[in-house]
């Protein structure tokens, strides 16, 4: 591996958390991650990642930390940063540092400090990135072009980041191979739907201490994340509504039992609104007139800007903080409550995805980096191959004590027989 001289940032000397508490959190994840701690560890033990420098840039809490330790145990040089300034856990940061990993993130930061942290991660000249939202990838392209050109690959976590990678590839600005981990079946079918669905509703209720049965919950966006949120809210007795601009997804939401409508039609009676588009300003200034008094706004998409908090603050006459992680904005005679500053509510206002879900997601990421490092792929965006996806699912089932039947000979399709009787063209 070619070396490059870089100016490394100075590490912090003041602890910002309790390493022993953080280690206990990581150990809890290990206990409930049979795929990552078993099948993935065994695969990575072939030495392919020894000496490889990997930047892990995902919401920095215990589950991300365990992924980082698995990579480090495989011999990789791991640099850890956060993908959002509001979701870095100080105890976990100190636990990773105590284990000898390089961490360039601190808790309780703002967007300026987060930008500096991302560039600090870039300055370690990673060979590969496990990214979230393509946040580090984009910044390296813009601010560290020489190091960007040296990148060997990226494995991307999110729908938003996947869209960004495709845009970069289409523009001829992606000079290396990438994997969209988000498009792996063992990621989006479980993480996006069941993980975000469950934990978003949990965080919303825990932060507000409000009742969901009978509530009118509007979900903005009906991708896999929106599906999960609407499904969990509906199962808990909410009346569920969906705002969606894609006609096929809107029809799917209708078939799933949700009421479909435009913002002007469904927002005026909503008691809770959750954005899940992966885009910008899903609830913006144009939507404010439709919001009723006492409505709760939460974001479950990638961008903190899915709820335009800055515009809401500019339009308000008074702001108060009635509960932890809730800011109330006064618009005329209406109070609008925003959870977790518009950041991802299930992480900034909760504990993030269930461990069992992230065991699958981070298995995809761990095997994805190994696949990138051991496979000759063309530059551009790729999906993890089916056999690896299947292997992850099989390992998860095995951990549950489940074995599957195989197709018996008499169940095979007879196409081979009748194809022999068809004349060649």
């Amino acid at each position: 591996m070619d070396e490059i001289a870089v100016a490394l940032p100075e590490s912090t000397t003041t602890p910002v958390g309790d390493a022993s508490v953080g280690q206990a959190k990581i150990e809890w994840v290990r206990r409930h991650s049979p795929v990552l701690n078993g099948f993935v560890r065994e695969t990575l033990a072939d030495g392919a990642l020894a000496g490889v420098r990997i930047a892990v840039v995902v919401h920095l809490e215990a589950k991300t930390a365990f992924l980082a330790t698995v990579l480090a145990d495989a011999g990789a040089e791991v640099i850890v940063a956060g993908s959002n300034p509001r979701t870095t856990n100080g105890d976990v940061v100190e636990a990773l540092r105590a284990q000898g990993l390089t961490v360039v993130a601190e808790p309780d930061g703002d967007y300026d400090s987060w930008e500096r942290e991302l560039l600090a991660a870039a300055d370690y000249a990673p060979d590969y990135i496990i990214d979230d939202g393509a946040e580090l990838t984009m910044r390296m392209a813009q601010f560290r072009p020489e190091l960007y050109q040296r990148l060997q690959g990226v494995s991307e976590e999110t729908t938003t980041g996947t869209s960004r990678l495709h845009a970069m590839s289409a523009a001829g600005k992606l000079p290396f191979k990438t994997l969209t981990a988000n498009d792996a079946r063992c990621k989006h079918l479980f993480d996006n739907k069941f993980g975000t669905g469950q934990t978003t509703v949990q965080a919303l209720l825990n932060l507000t201490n409000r009742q969901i049965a009978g509530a009118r919950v509007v979900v903005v966006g009906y991708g896999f994340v929106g599906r999960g949120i609407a499904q969990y809210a509906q199962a808990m007795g909410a009346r569920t509504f969906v705002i969606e601009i894609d006609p096929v997804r809107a029809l799917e939401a209708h078939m799933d039992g949700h009421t479909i409508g435009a913002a002007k039609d469904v927002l005026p009676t909503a008691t809770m609104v959750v954005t899940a588009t992966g885009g910008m300003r899903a609830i913006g200034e144009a939507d404010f007139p439709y919001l009723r008094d006492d409505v709760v706004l939460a974001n479950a998409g990638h961008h903190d800007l899915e709820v335009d908090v800055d515009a809401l603050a500019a339009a308000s006459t008074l702001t108060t903080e009635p509960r932890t992680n809730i800011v109330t904005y006064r618009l005329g005679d209406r109070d609008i409550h925003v959870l977790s500053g518009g950041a991802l509510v299930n992480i900034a206002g909760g504990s993030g995805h269930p461990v069992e879900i992230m065991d699958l997601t981070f298995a995809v990421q761990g095997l994805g980096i190994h696949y990138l490092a051991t496979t000759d792929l063309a530059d551009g965006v790729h999906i993890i191959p089916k056999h690896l996806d299947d292997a992850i699912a099989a390992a998860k089932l095995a951990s549950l004590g489940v074995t599957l039947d195989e197709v018996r000979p008499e169940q095979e399709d007879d196409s081979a027989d009748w194809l022999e009787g068809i004349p060649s063209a």
Side-chain angles (χ1 to χ4, degrees):
M1 178 169 45
D2 294 335
E3 295 294 332
I4 186 169
V6 293
L8 302 183
E10 295 182 2
S11 60
T12 181
T13 57
T14 304
V16 291
D18 188 324
S20 63
V21 172
Q23 185 53 48
K25 293 177 180 178
I26 298 171
E27 172 61 20
W28 180 259
V29 174
R30 185 199 65 79
R31 288 171 57 95
H32 297 92
S33 300
V35 182
L36 192 56
N37 197 40
F39 175 57
V40 175
R41 274 195 189 278
E42 294 166 4
T43 303
L44 270 52
D46 64 356
L49 298 184
V52 175
R53 192 170 295 164
I54 302 172
V56 177
V57 187
V58 186
H59 300 283
L60 212 181
E61 41 87 58
K63 296 176 283 290
T64 301
F66 183 58
L67 169 64
T69 65
V70 170
L71 295 170
D73 290 344
E77 299 177 25
V78 182
I79 301 95
V80 187
S83 60
N84 187 289
R86 294 189 174 103
T87 57
T88 295
N89 183 279
D91 297 329
V92 169
V93 167
E94 294 307 316
L96 286 177
R97 287 175 175 156
Q99 293 185 50
L101 276 72
T102 300
V103 184
V104 295
E106 305 291 348
D108 304 319
D110 54 24
Y111 283 98
D112 290 337
S113 64
W114 178 56
E115 292 285 347
R116 292 192 296 270
E117 290 167 0
L118 289 175
L119 293 180
D123 286 338
Y124 277 93
D127 301 303
Y128 296 92
I129 302 173
I130 292 177
D131 215 343
D132 188 308
E135 299 292 1
L136 179 56
T137 304
M138 291 193 309
R139 283 164 179 80
M140 288 186 70
Q142 185 173 4
F143 300 112
R144 300 292 189 270
E146 299 86 358
L147 299 179
Y148 179 74
Q149 292 294 325
R150 290 185 72 258
L151 274 172
Q152 297 179 43
V154 172
S155 184
E156 170 54 42
E157 179 88 356
T158 67
T159 304
T160 300
T162 296
S163 297
R164 288 172 168 176
L165 291 180
H166 278 296
M168 295 168 75
S169 181
K173 298 181 178 180
L174 195 66
F176 46 79
K177 55 193 176 184
T178 68
L179 283 182
T180 166
N182 183 72
D183 288 342
R185 291 167 298 150
C186 281
K187 199 278 184 180
H188 68 259
L189 291 178
F190 305 98
D191 180 310
N192 297 25
K193 184 176 181 181
F194 296 103
T196 310
Q198 173 184 314
T199 57
T200 295
V201 173
Q202 284 177 327
L204 192 155
L205 300 182
N206 288 339
L207 291 175
T208 63
N209 195 31
R210 299 281 291 274
Q211 176 177 299
I212 195 168
R216 298 174 65 91
V217 177
V218 172
V219 178
V220 186
Y222 205 68
F224 283 101
V225 168
R227 289 176 178 89
I229 297 166
Q231 175 181 318
Y232 275 90
Q234 184 183 60
M236 296 180 72
R239 297 182 62 186
T240 49
F241 302 78
V242 171
I243 298 172
E244 174 58 71
I245 61 174
D246 183 291
V248 175
R249 287 183 176 180
L251 182 58
E252 183 182 9
H254 168 73
M255 295 293 192
D256 287 339
H258 312 298
T259 301
I260 311 303
K264 65 181 179 62
D265 298 318
V266 300
L267 288 179
T269 60
T271 55
M272 301 175 181
V273 179
V274 184
T275 57
T277 68
M280 309 278 276
R281 301 177 184 86
I283 294 294
E285 189 172 3
D287 304 299
F288 297 164
Y290 304 133
L291 299 175
R292 60 169 283 177
D293 177 45
D294 205 37
V295 68
V296 172
L297 304 182
N299 172 38
H302 176 75
H303 291 288
D304 288 4
L305 291 176
E306 289 214 27
V307 176
D308 195 344
V309 177
D310 289 342
L312 192 57
S316 68
T317 57
L318 178 68
T319 61
T320 57
E321 297 185 27
R323 290 172 63 89
T324 301
N325 258 332
I326 300 179
V327 174
T328 298
Y329 298 89
R330 188 71 173 172
L331 295 184
D333 59 354
R334 296 169 295 145
D335 284 333
I336 313 299
H337 312 294
V338 177
L339 305 187
S340 301
L344 278 168
V345 70
N346 64 327
I347 302 178
S351 299
H353 283 10
V355 180
E356 297 89 344
I357 292 292
M358 295 311 296
D359 186 30
L360 289 171
T361 295
F362 284 157
V364 171
Q365 289 286 32
L367 292 182
I369 286 295
H370 182 270
Y371 180 71
L372 287 172
T374 57
T375 308
D376 186 16
L377 296 172
D379 295 344
V381 185
H382 304 268
I383 300 174
I384 193 170
K386 182 179 183 297
H387 75 271
L388 287 180
D389 223 347
D390 288 348
I392 292 168
K396 190 67 169 183
L397 289 170
S399 75
L400 300 172
V402 177
T403 57
L404 304 180
D405 288 332
E406 296 183 359
V407 177
R408 300 191 304 271
E410 68 269 22
Q411 295 173 322
E412 295 282 359
D413 188 80
D414 62 355
S415 59
D417 295 333
W418 57 259
L419 278 172
E420 290 183 4
I422 300 176
S424 299

